Amino acid sequence: MDWTPLQTGTSAETAAVLVLLGRAVAFVVALWIANRAYRGYRRASDPALLWLALGITLLAAVPTVVRFLVPTLTDTSQLLTTVAATGSEIVGLAAILYAVYGRP
């Protein structure tokens, strides 16, 4: 019987699974927050909430899809997916700034 002590480091597979789970949780939470903001917009007809929902979606949910699903399902280059994901994050941040400081 082999009684080897528990390993103190994590394997590459464990790290990959943890990263994937973390991204999935971030995706779900971002969509939940965006949904809450959108429902608030529908209730109050406040355009700032709509811009906030759009910004959160573009900041967190869209880049996750672009970084993980697009390369898996298509033959898109890593450079193009990185540019698309980063562009989505920048536009999402701009939408959130507009919701907070602009006059939507």
Side-chain angles (χ1 to χ4, degrees), residues 32-42 46 49-50 52-54 56:
W32 180 74
I33 293 170
N35 182 37
R36 296 288 299 174
Y38 179 72
R39 289 191 342 200
Y41 160 74
R42 289 186 62 198
D46 184 4
L49 290 173
L50 184 60
L52 181 64
L54 176 67
I56 291 170

Side-chain angles (χ1 to χ4, degrees), residues 4-12 14:
T4 57
L6 294 175
Q7 294 179 350
T8 56
T10 59
S11 66
T14 304

Side-chain angles (χ1 to χ4, degrees), residues 11-25:
S11 66
E13 294 85 12
T14 304
V17 168
L18 290 175
V19 167
L20 186 61
L21 285 175
R23 292 302 264 173
V25 168

Side-chain angles (χ1 to χ4, degrees), residues 25-97:
V25 168
F27 178 78
V28 169
V29 170
L31 287 181
W32 180 74
I33 293 170
N35 182 37
R36 296 288 299 174
Y38 179 72
R39 289 191 342 200
Y41 160 74
R42 289 186 62 198
R43 235 185 347 260
S45 296
D46 184 4
L49 290 173
L50 184 60
W51 282 99
L52 181 64
L54 176 67
I56 291 170
T57 302
L58 290 172
L59 179 63
V62 172
T64 300
V65 170
V66 170
R67 284 192 178 109
F68 286 101
L69 289 183
V70 170
T72 303
L73 302 176
T74 66
D75 199 18
T76 308
S77 70
Q78 184 178 2
L79 176 63
L80 185 59
T81 56
T82 301
V83 168
T86 304
S88 176
E89 291 170 343
I90 291 169
V91 173
L93 286 170
I96 292 170
L97 282 173

